[in-house]
Amino acid sequence: MTETVGPAVGHIAFEDVEVVYKTGLKALKGVTLSIPKGQFVVVVGLSGAGKSTLIRTVNNLVTPSSGRVVVEGVDITHARGQALRAARSDIGMIFQTFNLVKRSSVIRNVLSGRLGDLPAWRGVLSAFPKADQAYAHDCLARVGIPEKAYVRADALSGGQQQRVGIARALAQRPSVMLADEPVASLDPPTSHAVMSDLKRIAREDGITTIVNLHFIDMARDYADRIIGMRDGVVVFDGTPQEATDAAFEEIYGRPIDDKDLRGA
Amino acid sequence: MPDQAAALPRATGRVKSFVTLALVAALFVVAFGQTKFNLGALFTGASDFFRFFGRLTPDLTALPQIWPPLLQTIQIAYVATIIGAVIAIPLVFLASANTAVDPVSMWLARTLLTVLRSIPDLLWAALFVAVLGLGALPGVVALTLFSIGVLAKLGSETVESIDPGPLEALKAVGAGRNRTIVFAVVPQIAATMVSYMLYVFEINVRASVVIGFVGAGGIGVLLQTYMNFFDYPGLGALILVIFIVVLAIDGLSVWARSRLI
Amino acid sequence: MSAARPIPNVIPPAPAHVRRNRAMLIAGIAVLVALFILAIATMSLPTWSRVASGLQRNALPLLRGLVRPETKVLELAWNSMVVTFFMAILGTALGALLAFPLSFIAAGNLLGGTRWALPGKSLLVAVRTFPEIVLAVIFVAAAGPGPTAGIMAMGIHSIGYLGKVFSDVIEGIDQGPMEAIRAAGGNQLHTFLFAVVPQVLPEFASNVLYRFEINLRSAAVLGMVGAGGIGLPLIQRLQFRRWAEVSMFLIVIVAFIVVVDALSSRIRRRLV
Ligand SMILES: Nc1ncnc2c1ncn2[C@@H]1O[C@H](COP(=O)(O)OP(=O)(O)OP(=O)(O)O)[C@@H](O)[C@H]1O
Ligand SMILES: [Mg+2]
């Protein structure tokens, strides 16, 4: 189950990544991974295992204290200023709490995904090129809510809000998509609908995707590859078929039960 | 044992409030000494006060004389509020921890705002009358500076309490600071800021009524003239008009603010 | 990334209400700007050349004075600021004393019922609207120049604000403790002392402190009309444009107010 540490290659490469928070807590203890282009990776592990930390090093919302993350040949860990922003604009992110601007319209939220690629003046004046506006509407159509474009974001249901979150990330035309527990605030049927949308879009556009999930069954349903974390260390790395109940009990360090399943 | 444990905090509590009381009493003794406050004046003052009001039968023929300075008073307040808001906006973002450029400029902005707010409006007015001469201009400048201090302080408190989620989302998108402010911060604070602008306009109307006392334009000039010449009927009309205008603007502003939020 | 997807080029038109709101926002801003221009144009501002000559005469000496405060007047400025401080204390205390009974009348949920609430509230609004500096002028005429006039003006004016917030606090109190004391056989006075006062006191105190911060600023300027405190020596120096001395006074005022504000807001945070 231990990965052979070789030269890190692939679309996203974690090279011996360590994260120590200001509190002194070591959240990642040397993670080395290579994720090929287009792969749909699900990260599982108990609360506090370091899943969010891992995902956040990919777009440098958390900066590793040693080691580095290379995304499509760019060392994002050491990128700063304009270079960092350019690298981030290629990486979409979806949040558990959606992180929409609630008082703005849906389409404005989606358009904000274009900001990283625009000249600053266009962004500040909200002067989006026609093509960008059309693209944003298309993103909304792809997540299935084209008719909600001019509704205020806080008037949507949770599932619809998360779809707006996906559309915003999609509007970036990303080659990498990160999702930190994207369905944790949603009910089971909605969870499945949102995950299917995410997976379908990632397939269609060939987007390399890393998703944190709590639920074993969902991880098995959607992943190309499952990575198990415990205490800041990768303890499992394999296909959904290899991720047996026994493997999960090893990752979680306890017997699994119904609470670990989302159900259908 | 349990008795003692319960008694202890009560005893210290009592000592504490006793010390506080003694300190406050001492403060007042010193205050009376320092200000030579004349308690008797309370009663003579009160009777003078009521006598003053008794004489204020408004002379409505003074109205034509009142309109031009009244209009100027409102103009001063309005212009100062608008300019103050325009200057306050960038300061709001500089002074808020979650939108600041760097710690140094944040500290500078905060210090500037603290100084702006600690100088009373009438003092600003007197200061600029000395520099710019009599008239409405020093009034506008004084109230503008005062508005900046109040608005930017209230604004940056609002900015610091916004939902940080969208900020993080736009950071992940790779948007720069200004774009992030426009898309993630402004929508969250716009309604509150407009409400604060109305509130500052209310304050400015009240202030611009009196800055004429130091020569900074508006109706205060006339107010002072009437008082100096003991023109009670004119004064009565003037005070009546000020009352109506201030209350009307307050009422309008409160109504508009209640609709905003 | 997908070459297969056709690049979209249609933008669905915004619905009518969105376009209307956008138009109204633009119109609103246009009205504000038009009013602004109109106000500036009709306000009888001095000509640029007059402003320029005023600045020429005063700006440089002012700046020079501001960076080199005159330490000889430090003692005078400090002493006047101390008197100002105590004026604010007495003015606030007077206001609180007067506002206390009035606020119970204006609240209308405890004493006297609602019959007196409206006149009480109107009186408070009237007091608040009456400019403080006019009160100061009246009291200077009546009691002669000096701190007493300023204290009286602040005291009266503060009734408006304090009475308003006091009565809001009273209207928001929890009736439970009052009923408990009445049920235990307590009379009106008992109810008041043991159920009302403990509930309202922290909030009252906090608002009194806040008003004190405001009054300290007022007290610093009331002297300009002769009502005591630092305003008088300051405005004399302003009239004679002794900028270095003005500078010293400003430093004392700002420093004093900043420190008192910080202390006062710390106490307020601990109160509520
Ligand atoms: N900003 C931070 N400062 C200090 N410690 C942090 C911070 N963020 C996370 N941690 C700590 O780092 C460890 C890993 O946290 P992380 O959020 O990555 O876990 P997680 O696997 O995502 O957990 P969950 O499933 O609860 O989201 C935890 O012990 C957490 O308390
Ligand atoms: Mg997490």
Side-chain angles (χ1 to χ4, degrees):
Chain A
M1 242 173 265
T2 38
E3 256 236 328
T4 44
V5 181
V9 288
H11 191 194
I12 306 173
F14 294 84
E15 298 176 4
D16 199 21
V17 175
E18 288 194 9
V19 171
V20 180
Y21 280 114
K22 272 195 239 95
T23 53
L25 189 124
K26 204 165 184 181
L28 289 186
K29 302 170 179 170
V31 171
T32 299
L33 285 170
S34 163
I35 298 173
K37 185 151 185 62
Q39 196 169 53
F40 198 93
V41 179
V42 172
V43 183
V44 295
L46 284 183
S47 184
K51 305 182 299 289
S52 300
T53 307
L54 180 78
I55 252 188
R56 275 153 200 268
T57 58
V58 177
N59 58 1
N60 202 10
L61 285 184
V62 169
T63 308
S65 21
S66 78
R68 60 175 191 163
V69 181
V70 179
V71 181
E72 200 150 39
V74 178
D75 176 0
I76 195 160
T77 298
H78 297 103
R80 291 291 174 269
Q82 180 53 43
L84 176 59
R85 286 204 295 276
R88 279 176 175 161
S89 79
D90 189 39
I91 304 171
M93 188 158 190
I94 300 164
F95 303 83
Q96 174 180 345
T97 50
F98 322 136
N99 287 359
L100 302 180
V101 183
K102 298 196 177 63
R103 288 168 156 272
S104 292
S105 69
V106 164
I107 192 66
R108 205 169 156 78
N109 271 288
V110 178
L111 277 168
S112 70
R114 297 291 322 133
L115 289 173
D117 294 335
L118 283 183
W121 70 268
R122 275 193 179 272
V124 167
L125 298 178
S126 306
F128 292 97
K130 281 241 154 34
D132 282 10
Q133 296 183 38
Y135 194 77
H137 281 281
D138 187 51
C139 291
L140 263 188
R142 289 183 73 192
V143 296
I145 47 170
E147 74 284 359
K148 299 290 186 192
Y150 293 99
V151 176
R152 249 171 68 147
D154 55 6
L156 299 185
S157 71
Q160 290 170 333
Q161 291 196 30
Q162 192 56 297
R163 287 195 164 83
V164 177
I166 296 175
R168 175 176 61 196
L170 202 54
Q172 289 175 243
R173 303 173 201 255
S175 69
V176 173
M177 188 89 94
L178 308 171
D180 194 355
E181 312 213 3
V183 296
S185 329
L186 306 176
D187 59 59
T190 315
S191 296
H192 278 289
V194 167
M195 277 306 290
S196 320
D197 275 356
L198 188 58
K199 173 105 188 213
R200 171 178 53 79
I201 288 165
R203 261 296 152 273
E204 286 172 1
D205 292 9
I207 300 173
T208 312
T209 308
I210 307 180
V211 186
N212 285 347
L213 284 179
H214 254 119
F215 300 105
I216 294 173
D217 50 344
M218 290 196 88
R220 286 189 188 129
D221 283 352
Y222 296 101
D224 297 334
R225 172 181 177 189
I226 293 178
I227 288 174
M229 298 203 58
R230 192 165 85 200
D231 225 1
V233 179
V234 173
V235 294
F236 177 89
D237 187 349
T239 63
Q241 290 76 36
E242 291 165 352
T244 58
D245 284 2
F248 268 105
E249 299 197 334
E250 177 121 1
I251 298 170
Y252 286 1
R254 60 162 171 78
I256 59 172
D257 56 36
D258 277 358
K259 283 200 296 294
D260 299 322
L261 303 175
R262 166 116 292 189
Chain B
M1 284 318 265
D3 257 342
Q4 229 179 358
L8 209 60
R10 246 181 81 201
T12 50
R14 203 169 286 171
V15 169
K16 226 168 145 188
S17 51
F18 192 80
V19 170
T20 315
L21 261 179
L23 273 176
V24 171
L27 201 63
F28 275 95
V29 172
V30 178
F32 276 96
Q34 281 277 345
T35 60
K36 304 183 185 69
F37 183 46
N38 175 5
L39 267 178
L42 264 184
F43 302 100
T44 55
S47 74
D48 281 318
F49 185 67
F50 288 116
R51 188 144 10 101
F52 174 83
F53 275 97
R55 289 188 193 144
L56 290 178
T57 29
D59 168 20
L60 295 182
T61 58
L63 284 180
Q65 224 183 336
I66 292 175
W67 297 135
L70 180 70
L71 181 66
Q72 194 184 46
T73 289
I74 296 171
Q75 286 171 325
I76 292 173
Y78 181 73
V79 170
T81 309
I82 299 279
I83 303 179
V86 169
I87 300 175
I89 286 167
L91 280 171
V92 166
F93 298 119
L94 273 179
S96 307
N98 49 351
T99 54
V101 175
D102 55 60
V104 177
S105 61
M106 180 172 95
W107 183 85
L108 281 175
R110 287 185 175 182
T111 307
L112 173 70
L113 295 180
T114 307
V115 171
L116 286 180
R117 264 177 304 118
S118 63
I119 295 184
D121 40 18
L122 260 179
L123 179 47
W124 277 125
L127 206 60
F128 283 105
V129 166
V131 178
L132 299 168
L134 298 173
L137 182 65
V140 169
V141 179
L143 293 192
T144 298
L145 291 180
F146 188 73
S147 310
I148 294 172
V150 176
L151 258 178
K153 170 77 168 89
L154 291 172
S156 89
E157 276 170 7
T158 313
V159 168
E160 289 186 343
S161 66
I162 62 168
D163 171 12
L167 286 178
E168 191 184 32
L170 286 194
K171 196 173 170 193
V173 160
R177 174 176 175 270
N178 292 334
R179 280 167 278 178
T180 304
I181 287 174
V182 170
F183 275 77
V185 183
V186 169
Q188 293 196 59
I189 64 164
T192 315
M193 281 309 281
V194 173
S195 152
Y196 284 149
M197 267 180 73
L198 285 165
Y199 168 68
V200 166
F201 179 58
E202 280 173 52
I203 301 182
N204 278 345
V205 169
R206 285 163 194 267
S208 75
V209 165
V210 294
I211 52 176
F213 272 79
V214 293
I219 203 160
V221 180
L222 193 61
L223 197 57
Q224 202 181 26
T225 315
Y226 283 165
M227 291 192 88
N228 287 345
F229 289 97
F230 304 103
D231 181 351
Y232 290 105
L235 208 51
L238 188 52
I239 288 173
L240 188 68
V241 168
I242 292 176
F243 252 83
I244 293 171
V245 169
V246 170
L247 286 182
I249 287 177
D250 273 17
L252 267 175
S253 161
V254 168
W255 171 80
R257 281 196 275 151
S258 73
R259 288 205 34 172
L260 269 169
I261 309 202
Chain C
M1 294 302 118
S2 61
R5 280 189 64 81
I7 294 166
N9 59 359
V10 270
I11 307 171
H17 73 272
V18 173
R19 270 175 291 155
R20 197 178 52 231
N21 285 351
R22 219 178 278 160
M24 266 169 62
L25 181 68
I26 293 172
I29 292 174
V31 168
L32 286 185
V33 171
L35 278 178
F36 180 78
I37 294 170
L38 193 71
I40 297 250
T42 58
M43 213 164 68
S44 66
L45 291 171
T47 57
W48 274 120
S49 61
R50 239 196 76 199
V51 175
S53 81
L55 279 177
Q56 227 164 25
R57 233 175 315 115
N58 299 314
L60 252 174
L62 167 74
L63 291 177
R64 221 181 292 134
L66 280 182
V67 294
R68 249 181 285 147
E70 175 59 76
T71 45
K72 261 186 265 169
V73 292
L74 174 59
E75 202 183 327
L76 173 67
W78 175 259
N79 289 341
S80 332
M81 195 61 206
V82 169
V83 173
T84 306
F85 172 76
F86 285 114
M87 279 170 64
I89 287 188
L90 290 181
T92 312
L94 183 61
L97 273 178
L98 296 172
F100 191 78
L102 264 177
S103 63
F104 283 91
I105 296 171
N109 60 336
L110 296 182
L111 306 177
T114 47
R115 191 156 28 114
W116 292 103
L118 189 65
K121 282 199 165 83
S122 316
L123 179 67
L124 292 178
V125 170
V127 170
R128 214 155 11 121
T129 309
F130 202 83
E132 194 170 26
I133 198 125
V134 176
L135 288 175
V137 173
I138 296 171
F139 287 124
V140 167
T148 297
I151 293 167
M152 303 268 293
M154 271 185 282
I156 303 277
H157 189 72
S158 304
I159 298 173
Y161 171 85
L162 288 176
K164 165 90 168 63
V165 293
F166 283 3
S167 67
D168 286 349
V169 172
I170 296 166
E171 282 178 348
I173 68 167
D174 178 10
Q175 302 271 348
M178 298 172 59
E179 276 162 21
I181 287 181
R182 240 178 274 131
N187 62 21
Q188 288 261 325
L189 185 68
H190 291 142
T191 324
F192 182 74
L193 284 181
F194 297 106
V196 178
V197 170
Q199 275 197 64
V200 299
L201 214 53
E203 292 243 27
F204 276 24
S206 160
N207 278 300
V208 168
L209 273 175
Y210 178 68
R211 187 68 213 182
F212 167 70
E213 291 170 30
I214 299 177
N215 279 347
L216 185 58
R217 288 166 166 78
S218 301
V221 293
L222 286 178
M224 292 181 178
V225 294
I230 200 168
L232 185 64
L234 174 55
I235 198 150
Q236 288 167 345
R237 279 158 184 81
L238 273 172
Q239 274 159 359
F240 293 106
R241 298 193 170 76
R242 291 199 222 128
W243 297 117
E245 296 181 14
V246 168
S247 170
M248 194 73 247
F249 272 77
L250 287 180
I251 290 171
V252 169
I253 292 176
V254 169
F256 208 102
I257 289 182
V258 167
V259 170
V260 169
D261 270 12
L263 287 178
S264 164
S265 57
R266 253 178 82 175
I267 301 176
R268 278 196 284 138
R269 263 200 302 277
R270 287 192 20 198
L271 276 172
V272 280

